[in-house]
Amino acid sequence: MAFFFRNKSKPDLAKSARELIPRLWEPSTPQKVEDELAKLLAQMKLVLQGTQGMMVHPRFLGILDPWTSEILKMLTTHIETETSPEQASQLVNSIIQEDLLYSLARNIHLLPFESRKDTQAIFSYVLRFKPSNSIAPDPPALAYIIDTRPEVVVELCRGYEHRESAMPCGVVLREALKHDAIAEIILYDQSSKGETVVKLDDIDLGQKQTGNGVFWDFFSWIDRGAFEVSTDAFTTFRDILTKHKQLVSQYLSINFDLFFSRYNSILVQSSSYVTKRQSIKLLGEILLDRANYNVMTAYVDRGEHLKLCMNLLKDDRKMVQYEGFHVFKVRNTEAVLNLIWLTIDKVFVANPHKSVAVQRILLNNRERLLSFLPKFLEDRTEDDQFTDEKSFLIRQIETMPAVPVEIAKPLNGY
């Protein structure tokens, strides 16, 4: 048995889907509307991706009773579609022209489960699709979103407001975030719902942020969302902060106080064990990234940050203690490039340019630290690196001067 979708031309699929989507907001959406929209999305996915048939070995069918055998044949029949690269290209162009990506991003949480999966597949294909004769650097759909319709990016982020749309929107976002321009839109847009989203050409990378916009909403999605929302939102949040190094380094330097006040108070001190542990680990990654040298030096200069990390060492959960230790300590490493080029790695104690405030906190707590650290995670005997670093920390604290000393800071990180 084969199914042929001949009722609509390929470009008409996008128009028909766009016209049906607003009806999902009706108080009682007719089942017929959901079914028709689901059929359209499934057809679009098949046109774009082609068909993968499912086969059952005839010998297996032979041992089943006739009724079960017939049902299996129906369920595993190869679905045939008349598709070609030209038809896929026509459909992609129609999806762009009909602004269907925005409609889907905004309404994906209203779709049935299978339709949400189809929508994710459509997005992923369209964002990667480039005509064979194209000389443009970016796929046309991506260029359209960046230059004309950045609202698509913002609506995908707002997919984290609903459990139903969190995962499909997250998958699409992480695909799109392979491009710096998408990260710029997320980081620098400060619009509220219903307002115009910032265009890429209008972004001022040196402008301080107000704390409004979808990037700042990630903090509450991660901390307060349902588990599946929180974990997926954190994955996307991490991609934003770790895969666009120069962009994020500048962003964190300019918005240092705003970012870390929220990061420390909402994520690092979250009541969720998973959020807390992941956030501490990510904090270490951010501070230890060579591109964030200036951010790291500013962070370790603050006495309140040291107090926070010291409190993490006292957490009653060992993995939180372990991740907190890696922010608290510094391990000296050297890299040579014609001369010694960098002598910095993890933060606070072995930082040779500790601020007076940080020195004072360490000195005021020296006896307690020297009593606490030898027993800290003492059962982690199989981790030689951890043991060596802990011993190094203890020696650094033991040899600190009796009073804080003003230490000249280097002009740069090299």
Side-chain angles (χ1 to χ4, degrees):
M1 181 175 61
F3 299 90
F4 294 87
F5 298 123
R6 302 179 187 273
N7 55 322
K8 293 184 185 295
S9 67
K10 305 304 183 277
D12 283 347
L13 294 173
K15 181 179 180 181
S16 299
R18 180 186 58 77
E19 291 172 348
L20 278 176
I21 285 174
R23 298 196 61 188
L24 295 173
W25 290 90
E26 294 178 3
S28 55
T29 304
Q31 186 63 43
K32 183 178 178 181
V33 171
E34 287 192 2
D35 292 344
E36 180 64 20
L37 184 55
K39 186 191 297 183
L40 291 169
L41 293 172
Q43 290 179 39
M44 282 190 280
K45 185 183 80 167
L46 289 172
V47 170
L48 296 173
Q49 292 189 335
T51 304
Q52 293 182 345
M54 297 172 62
M55 302 296 293
V56 177
H57 198 283
R59 185 179 300 171
F60 177 70
L61 291 175
I63 66 174
L64 300 174
D65 63 83
W67 185 86
T68 305
S69 177
E70 186 62 28
I71 292 296
L72 272 177
K73 286 179 183 179
M74 292 173 62
L75 292 176
T76 59
T77 295
H78 192 93
I79 300 175
E80 300 177 18
T81 60
E82 296 177 352
T83 185
S84 67
E86 291 76 17
Q87 291 175 334
S89 181
Q90 289 175 10
L91 180 55
V92 170
N93 290 334
S94 180
I95 287 171
I96 295 171
Q97 291 166 7
E98 294 293 338
D99 200 23
L100 183 60
L101 294 179
Y102 174 75
S103 295
L104 288 173
R106 186 170 181 268
N107 299 284
I108 187 172
H109 65 283
L110 299 174
L111 298 173
F113 176 72
E114 288 298 328
S115 296
R116 295 198 297 271
K117 288 170 58 180
D118 290 341
T119 298
Q120 175 189 317
I122 291 167
F123 256 103
S124 296
Y125 184 94
V126 170
L127 289 178
R128 292 193 301 264
F129 177 81
K130 285 182 70 173
S132 57
N133 60 349
S134 174
I135 59 172
D138 294 323
L142 186 68
Y144 167 74
I145 290 172
I146 293 170
D147 298 331
T148 306
R149 208 56 160 118
E151 289 83 3
V152 174
V153 178
V154 172
E155 290 299 335
L156 284 170
C157 290
R158 289 179 180 149
Y160 286 121
E161 294 178 352
H162 308 278
R163 296 176 68 166
E164 297 84 358
S165 53
M167 292 184 67
C169 285
V171 171
V172 175
L173 276 170
R174 290 189 289 277
E175 176 70 29
L177 276 166
K178 293 176 181 177
H179 305 268
D180 280 352
I182 300 297
E184 278 190 45
I185 292 169
I186 295 174
L187 288 169
Y188 285 92
D189 178 67
Q190 301 185 75
S191 66
S192 300
K193 287 185 178 180
E195 295 180 348
T196 302
V197 174
V198 67
K199 296 287 195 298
L200 190 67
D201 290 342
D202 297 330
I203 290 176
D204 178 3
L205 297 180
Q207 180 184 12
K208 275 195 171 186
Q209 300 298 291
T210 62
N212 298 319
V214 290
F215 175 70
W216 303 99
D217 290 335
F218 272 89
F219 290 92
S220 58
W221 294 331
I222 293 169
D223 185 47
R224 301 175 192 169
F227 179 78
E228 61 268 35
V229 174
S230 174
T231 52
D232 201 285
F234 186 88
T235 302
T236 302
F237 184 71
R238 184 182 181 279
D239 276 11
I240 295 169
L241 293 174
T242 59
K243 294 192 173 180
H244 308 276
K245 296 183 184 298
Q246 296 307 315
L247 173 66
V248 169
S249 177
Q250 181 178 357
Y251 186 86
L252 294 181
S253 295
I254 293 171
N255 301 286
F256 182 91
D257 290 326
L258 178 61
F259 176 82
F260 283 108
S261 65
R262 294 200 184 183
Y263 194 98
N264 289 338
S265 62
I266 298 175
L267 300 184
V268 173
Q269 299 186 72
S270 172
S271 58
S272 164
Y273 165 75
V274 173
T275 298
K276 189 169 192 172
R277 182 185 170 189
Q278 287 181 328
S279 301
I280 298 167
K281 186 173 184 178
L282 177 58
L283 175 61
E285 290 180 45
I286 293 171
L287 297 180
L288 297 175
D289 194 312
R290 183 168 155 253
N292 296 328
Y293 177 86
N294 291 332
V295 175
M296 184 274 291
T297 55
Y299 191 91
V300 301
D301 220 27
R302 304 285 183 90
E304 65 266 27
H305 295 160
L306 174 58
K307 290 179 183 178
L308 173 65
C309 293
M310 290 171 66
N311 286 330
L312 293 175
L313 296 179
K314 298 189 294 182
D315 195 284
D316 56 2
R317 292 161 293 194
K318 290 190 175 183
M319 288 312 300
V320 171
Q321 294 177 344
Y322 181 70
E323 300 298 352
F325 175 81
H326 283 284
V327 178
F328 176 72
K329 56 115 175 153
V330 175
R331 181 186 73 247
N332 282 341
T333 62
E334 295 182 351
V336 178
L337 186 60
N338 299 326
L339 51 100
I340 295 179
W341 155 95
L342 185 63
T343 310
I344 188 77
D345 200 348
K346 304 190 176 176
V347 295
F348 284 121
V349 174
N351 173 22
H353 308 289
K354 290 186 284 290
S355 68
V356 170
V358 167
Q359 292 180 62
R360 186 174 290 114
I361 292 171
L362 289 172
L363 288 170
N364 289 342
N365 292 274
R366 173 152 55 184
E367 296 306 318
R368 277 178 284 185
L369 285 169
L370 292 177
S371 173
F372 170 78
L373 284 173
K375 302 173 186 175
F376 176 69
L377 297 180
E378 56 186 346
D379 58 342
R380 205 176 182 90
T381 54
E382 76 288 350
D383 191 339
D384 292 338
Q385 180 179 335
F386 172 76
T387 302
D388 291 344
E389 290 173 345
K390 189 170 73 167
S391 299
F392 175 77
L393 275 187
I394 293 171
R395 289 195 301 273
Q396 291 292 307
I397 295 172
E398 287 174 337
T399 58
M400 283 184 66
V403 295
V405 177
E406 189 73 46
I407 300 173
K409 295 181 181 179
L411 296 177
N412 51 51
Y414 302 93

